[in-house]
C-alpha cells in the first residue's frame, strides 16, 4: 500500500512538473511572439521612414539646381544672380516699401513653447475592413483584412453595407441644407473580395462578430468608406496637353511657413526637394479661414462678395462666382473635400451650399462618419473617426481621386483642419503621414500633369505663441509651396522663372487667384505670356485688388502692402517701435478699440439667440502698444493689444491717427488672439463668434 502511495505521489509530482514545463514553454512562446511582432512592427515603421527619406534624397539631386535657373524679368532682360541672393541678407523681402525680416523657425524667444506632439491612435493595427481601388476597371472591392485581424476576422458572422446619399432638397431653403445626408435603412449583405456596386459613393459597413469567451452577446464592427465613383460628367483628356494642367490644392489650416519648417520637417524637406517653390513673402489679407479663401477662389473680399451674391450668413453661397464653376464650365472635373464638418470653411456660422458646389463633395461622408462612428478628440478637434483618422481619410481620398483622374483635367481642393488648427505643436503628429501621402503621389508620377499647391490660410491665430513677436509674424505669413509639372515648364519656361523669382517678393491670395485664372483661360498658341496684354485672355483683374497680378509675372520689386491688397493690420513690412503701455497714446487707443468692439456687437445684435445678448465690453488694460511709420504713405500707425472684461478677452488692432485732430481710425480687422472657447455659445454668426461674451438678458420685473 505504501509503495502504491509513493508511486501515486511520484506520478502527481511528474504531472505537476510537466504542467509547469508546459506553462513555461507556452509563456516563452508568447513572449517570443510578442517580441517578433514588435520587431516586425518597428522594422515596418522604420522602413516607411527610410522609404520616404530615400525618396527625398533621390529627388534632391534631381531638383538641386531648380532655383539656379536664369530668370526672365518683365522687360525680358536676364538676371544672372541666384534666386536666393535676390534679397538683402537677414530678410525674406527687402525693398523701398517693404522689409520683412528672415526670422529663424527655432528662435530662442519661443523655444519654451515648442514640443513634439503625438496624436491618439485610432486603431492598434489596420482597420478590419477596407475598400480596394482597381484603377483600370474604375471599381472598388470590399476587403476584410484577415492578416492583421486573424482572430477577429474568423469570428465574423456576416457583413453588410448601407449606402449614404445626399438627401433630396426641401422646397424652401433650410439652414441645414448643406448638412443633409441619409443612410439607407436597408443593409445589403457583402462578402470579402466582393465588388461594390459602382453607384455607391459612400457606405456604412456593419460586421457582426460572434461572441467569444466571456461575451454572451455578439459585437458589431462599423466603419464608413468613401469611393471616388465614375459620375459620367463631361471631362477632357489633358495628358497630352501640357499647357492645360490640372490643379491640385492641399491646404493645412493655420500653418505658417516657419511652423511648417519647425513642426513638419519631413514634409518641408520633401517639398523643397521635389521642385516645389516657396513664396516667403506670401501674406494673408484677412483674419481667419473664410475671408482668406474667398480672395483665392473669387478674387474678392468678403464684403464685396456679400454685395454680389451673399447678402447674409443665412444665405447659401450657390450663386457666388467660385473658380471651380469656371473650371467645370471648361470641362474640368471638380472636387472639394474637408475633414472637419463642424467647423467647415463654408459652414462655420454660415449655411454653406444648397447644392453640392463641386462634382465630388465629401460633406455627407464626413458628417456621417462623425455621427455614426466613435470619435476621439485631439486638442479639441474630431481626429479619430472610428478606426481611422479624419486626415488619413482625406489623404486616401486624394490618392484615389488623382489616380482615377490623372489623365483628365481637374480642379480639386482638399482642406485639413484636425491636426493643425488649435495648437502650434500638433502638426508634428502628422508630419510623417503627410509626407508619406505626398510622396505616394509624386513617386507614382500621379502629379506629372498637375500644378500642385500646398498652402495654408494663415498661421496660428491664438495661444501663447501668438502673444510673442514671432507669433504675430507667423499669424500673418502662411505656408505656400507650388510645383509646376515638367511639361508645363517646357511649354512656358518664363512662368516657372517668374514663380521662382517671386520667392522673395511680397505676394497675396489675390495673386494666386489670378494665377489660377490664367491657368484656366490661357491657350497653347498664345504668343505672349504676359497675362495683362494677351488678347486671348479675359481681363486679368481681381475685384479685391486691381493692382494684383498672376504669379507667372515677376512682382513689382518695390511692391507695397497696399498694392498687394494687404490692409495695414496684416502688413508685416515695417518694423515697430515698442511704446509704454501706460502712455497717453496707448490708453486712448485702447479706449477707442473697445468703443469699436461695442459698436460691432451692437451692429450684429440680432444674430444672437433669443434670450441672450453679447455683453458690453470694458477695457481692463492695454497689454502692449507699438508704433511704426508706414513706408508707403508716411502715416503713423499703432498696433495695440487690449484685454477686455468680462472674459479677459485679448484683441489686437492696428489703428492710424490723424495728424491734425489726433482722431484714431481702424486700419483693418480686429484679431482675437486668445481662445474664446464657450464664451460665444449664444451665437453662430461668424462675424460675432470671436468677439461676443454671451450673457442672459435681464428678466423684466414681475408686473412690468
Amino acid at each position: 500500500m505504501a509503495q502504491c502511495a509513493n508511486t501515486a505521489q511520484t506520478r502527481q509530482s511528474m504531472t505537476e512538473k510537466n504542467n509547469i514545463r508546459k506553462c513555461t514553454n507556452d509563456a516563452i512562446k508568447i513572449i517570443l511572439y510578442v517580441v517578433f511582432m514588435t520587431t516586425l512592427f518597428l522594422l515596418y515603421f522604420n522602413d516607411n521612414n527610410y522609404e520616404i527619406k530615400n525618396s527625398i534624397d533621390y529627388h534632391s539631386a534631381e531638383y538641386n539646381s531648380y532655383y539656379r535657373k536664369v530668370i526672365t524679368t518683365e522687360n525680358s532682360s536676364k538676371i544672372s544672380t541666384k534666386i536666393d541672393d535676390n534679397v538683402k541678407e537677414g530678410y525674406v523681402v527687402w525693398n523701398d516699401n517693404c522689409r520683412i525680416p528672415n526670422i529663424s523657425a527655432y528662435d530662442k524667444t519661443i523655444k519654451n513653447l515648442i514640443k513634439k506632439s503625438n496624436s491618439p491612435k485610432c486603431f492598434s493595427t489596420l482597420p478590419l475592413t477596407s475598400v480596394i481601388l482597381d484603377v483600370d476597371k474604375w471599381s472598388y472591392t470590399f476587403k476584410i483584412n484577415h492578416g492583421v485581424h486573424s482572430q477577429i476576422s474568423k469570428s465574423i458572422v456576416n457583413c453588410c453595407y448601407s449606402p449614404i446619399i445626399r438627401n433630396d432638397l426641401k422646397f424652401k431653403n433650410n439652414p441645414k441644407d448643406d448638412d443633409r445626408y441619409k443612410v439607407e435603412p436597408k443593409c445589403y449583405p457583402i462578402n470579402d473580395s466582393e465588388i461594390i456596386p459602382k453607384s455607391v459613393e459612400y457606405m456604412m459597413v456593419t460586421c457582426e462578430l460572434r461572441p467569444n469567451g466571456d461575451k454572451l452577446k455578439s459585437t458589431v464592427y462599423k466603419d464608413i468608406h468613401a469611393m471616388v465613383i465614375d459620375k459620367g460628367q463631361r471631362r477632357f483628356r489633358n495628358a497630352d496637353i501640357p499647357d492645360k494642367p490640372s490643379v491640385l490644392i492641399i491646404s493645412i489650416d493655420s500653418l505658417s511657413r516657419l511652423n511648417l519648417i519647425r513642426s513638419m520637417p519631413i514634409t518641408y524637406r520633401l517639398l523643397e526637394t521635389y521642385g516645389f517653390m516657396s513664396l516667403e513673402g506670401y501674406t494673408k489679407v484677412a483674419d481667419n479661414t473664410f475671408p482668406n479663401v474667398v480672395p483665392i477662389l473669387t478674387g474678392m473680399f468678403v464684403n464685396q462678395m456679400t454685395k454680389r451674391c451673399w447678402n447674409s450668413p443665412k444665405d447659401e453661397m450657390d450663386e457666388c462666382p467660385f473658380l471651380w464653376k469656371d473650371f467645370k464650365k471648361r470641362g474640368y472635373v471638380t472636387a472639394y473635400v474637408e475633414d472637419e464638418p463642424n467647423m467647415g470653411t463654408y459652414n462655420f456660422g454660415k449655411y454653406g451650399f444648397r447644392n453640392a458646389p463641386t462634382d465630388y463633395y465629401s460633406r455627407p461622408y464626413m458628417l456621417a462618419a462623425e455621427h455614426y462612428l466613435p470619435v476621439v478628440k485631439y486638442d479639441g478637434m474630431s481626429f479619430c473617426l472610428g478606426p481611422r483618422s479624419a486626415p488619413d481619410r482625406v489623404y486616401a481620398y486624394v490618392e484615389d481621386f488623382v489616380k482615377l483622374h490623372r489623365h483628365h483635367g481637374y480642379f480639386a481642393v482638399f482642406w485639413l483642419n484636425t491636426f493643425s488648427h488649435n495648437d502650434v505643436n500638433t502638426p508634428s503628429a502628422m508630419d510623417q503621414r503627410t509626407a508619406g501621402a505626398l510622396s505616394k503621389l509624386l513617386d507614382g508620377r500621379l502629379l506629372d500633369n498637375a500644378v500642385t499647391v500646398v498652402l495654408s490660410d494663415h498661421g496660428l491665430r491664438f495661444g501663447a505663441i501668438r502673444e510673442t513677436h514671432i507669433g504675430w509674424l507667423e499669424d500673418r505669413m502662411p505656408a505656400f509651396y507650388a510645383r509646376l509639372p515638367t511639361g508645363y515648364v517646357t511649354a512656358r519656361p518664363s512662368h516657372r522663372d517668374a514663380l521662382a523669382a517671386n520667392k522673395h517678393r511680397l505676394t497675396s491670395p489675390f495673386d494666386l487667384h489670378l494665377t489660377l485664372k490664367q491657368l484656366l483661360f490661357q491657350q497653347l498658341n498664345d504668343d505672349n505670356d504676359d497675362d495683362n496684354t494677351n488678347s486671348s485672355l479675359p481681363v486679368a483683374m481681381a475685384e479685391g485688388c486691381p493692382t494684383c497680378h498672376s504669379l507667372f509675372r515677376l512682382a513689382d520689386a518695390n511692391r507695397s502692402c497696399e498694392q498687394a491688397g494687404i490692409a495695414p493690420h496684416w502688413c508685416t513690412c515695417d518694423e515697430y517701435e515698442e511704446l509704454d503701455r501706460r502712455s497717453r497714446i496707448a490708453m486712448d487707443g485702447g479706449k477707442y478699440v473697445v468703443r469699436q468692439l461695442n459698436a460691432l456687437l451692437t451692429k450684429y445684435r440680432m444674430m444672437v439667440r433669443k434670450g441672450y445678448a453679447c455683453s458690453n465690453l470694458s477695457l481692463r488694460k492695454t497689454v502692449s502698444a507699438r508704433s511704426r511709420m508706414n513706408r508707403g504713405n508716411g502715416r503713423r500707425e499703432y498696433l495695440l493689444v487690449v484685454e477686455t472684461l468680462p472674459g479677459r478677452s485679448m484683441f489686437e488692432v492696428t489703428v492710424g491717427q490723424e495728424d491734425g485732430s489726433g482722431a484714431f481710425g481702424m486700419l483693418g480687422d480686429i484679431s482675437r488672439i486668445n481662445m474664446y472657447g464657450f464664451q460665444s455659445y449664444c451665437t453662430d454668426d461668424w462675424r460675432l463668434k470671436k468677439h461676443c461674451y454671451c450673457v442672459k438678458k435681464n428678466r423684466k420685473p414681475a408686473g412690468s
Side-chain angles (χ1 to χ4, degrees), residues 166 175-181 341 347 351 353 363-364 367:
R166 193 168 163 95
K176 297 296 183 183
D177 275 348
D178 208 13
D179 295 344
R180 69 186 191 278
Y181 69 89
N347 303 89
Y351 282 13
F353 301 96
R363 189 163 177 78
L367 283 168

Side-chain angles (χ1 to χ4, degrees), residues 63-71 81-84 271-272 275-278 481-482 496 499-501 503:
Y63 292 107
N64 192 38
S65 62
Y66 204 81
Y67 293 119
R68 293 183 174 84
K69 300 286 185 181
V70 175
I71 63 169
T81 57
K82 294 178 182 178
I83 298 302
D84 287 346
L271 294 171
E272 286 282 333
F276 283 81
M277 291 169 280
S278 67
Y481 274 86
R496 189 276 313 276
L499 181 60
K503 176 178 183 177

Side-chain angles (χ1 to χ4, degrees), residues 308-477:
R308 171 86 67 87
C309 58
W310 187 55
N311 296 326
S312 149
K314 291 187 176 181
D315 291 333
E316 286 143 341
M317 301 179 219
D318 296 61
E319 301 305 315
C320 293
F322 291 103
L323 268 179
W324 49 57
K325 288 186 175 182
D326 295 322
F327 276 90
K328 184 174 176 60
K329 285 178 184 175
R330 294 177 78 90
Y332 288 77
V333 178
T334 58
Y336 182 75
V337 174
E338 190 165 7
D339 66 344
E340 175 56 278
N342 288 326
M343 58 172 297
T345 301
Y346 306 96
N347 303 89
F348 185 68
K350 302 172 283 290
Y351 282 13
F353 301 96
R354 183 167 169 79
N355 299 298
T358 52
D359 296 318
Y360 295 89
Y361 186 50
S362 69
R363 189 163 177 78
Y365 167 50
M366 301 308 294
L367 283 168
E370 197 167 89
H371 180 76
Y372 286 99
L373 301 178
V375 174
V376 177
K377 296 285 185 178
Y378 178 38
D379 201 47
M381 307 294 286
S382 298
F383 185 79
C384 291
L385 304 178
R388 290 177 292 156
S389 74
D392 283 329
R393 290 175 183 273
V394 172
Y395 288 150
Y397 196 95
V398 173
E399 184 179 353
D400 284 2
F401 179 87
V402 172
K403 280 180 177 178
L404 290 166
H405 293 98
R406 62 182 299 184
H407 299 307
H408 308 141
Y410 64 80
F411 179 84
V413 180
F414 295 87
W415 205 274
L416 297 139
N417 301 283
T418 46
F419 63 89
S420 58
H421 186 272
N422 286 354
D423 192 285
V424 72
N425 294 306
T426 51
S428 62
M430 285 295 294
D431 183 22
Q432 182 181 324
R433 280 183 277 179
T434 300
L438 287 170
S439 65
K440 276 186 182 180
L441 301 179
L442 292 160
D443 290 340
R445 304 195 65 177
L446 301 176
L447 301 179
D448 282 4
N449 197 37
V451 171
T452 308
V453 182
V454 178
L455 52 64
S456 189
D457 45 358
H458 49 74
L460 194 72
R461 298 187 296 110
F462 43 75
I465 195 171
R466 187 57 186 80
E467 297 174 28
T468 68
H469 175 66
I470 305 296
W472 171 83
L473 188 73
E474 288 196 24
D475 171 22
R476 288 156 168 75
M477 305 199 73

Side-chain angles (χ1 to χ4, degrees), residues 506-628:
L506 184 65
T507 52
S508 78
F510 291 108
D511 298 320
L512 176 57
H513 170 78
L514 292 169
T515 308
L516 298 174
K517 228 169 185 178
Q518 183 172 356
L519 285 169
L520 174 64
F521 289 113
Q522 68 191 359
Q523 301 298 321
L524 182 61
N525 296 322
D526 288 341
D527 295 325
N528 194 329
D529 280 344
D530 188 334
D531 58 326
N532 276 355
T533 60
N534 194 327
S535 59
S536 69
L537 295 174
V539 177
M541 189 177 78
E543 187 176 333
C545 181
T547 53
C548 289
H549 54 68
S550 167
L551 294 166
F552 294 150
R553 288 180 55 201
L554 190 61
D556 186 351
N558 284 316
R559 197 179 199 189
S560 66
C561 281
E562 185 178 2
Q563 291 171 325
I566 303 165
H569 183 53
W570 309 118
C571 185
T572 61
C573 284
D574 300 294
E575 297 175 2
Y576 279 98
E577 173 190 356
E578 199 73 31
L579 301 178
D580 184 351
R581 67 182 183 88
R582 297 180 183 83
S583 65
R584 179 68 180 271
I585 196 79
M587 297 303 295
D588 289 349
K591 292 174 184 176
Y592 168 78
V593 169
V594 173
R595 288 197 298 272
Q596 295 303 304
L597 280 165
N598 284 324
L600 183 147
L601 296 175
T602 300
K603 181 178 180 179
Y604 298 114
R605 64 185 181 277
M606 300 307 293
M607 305 308 294
V608 179
R609 286 204 295 271
K610 188 176 181 180
Y612 294 89
C614 294
S615 174
N616 197 62
L617 302 178
S618 62
L619 178 66
R620 181 175 182 267
K621 64 178 179 180
T622 300
V623 177
S624 66
R626 291 188 284 166
S627 171
R628 71 180 176 191

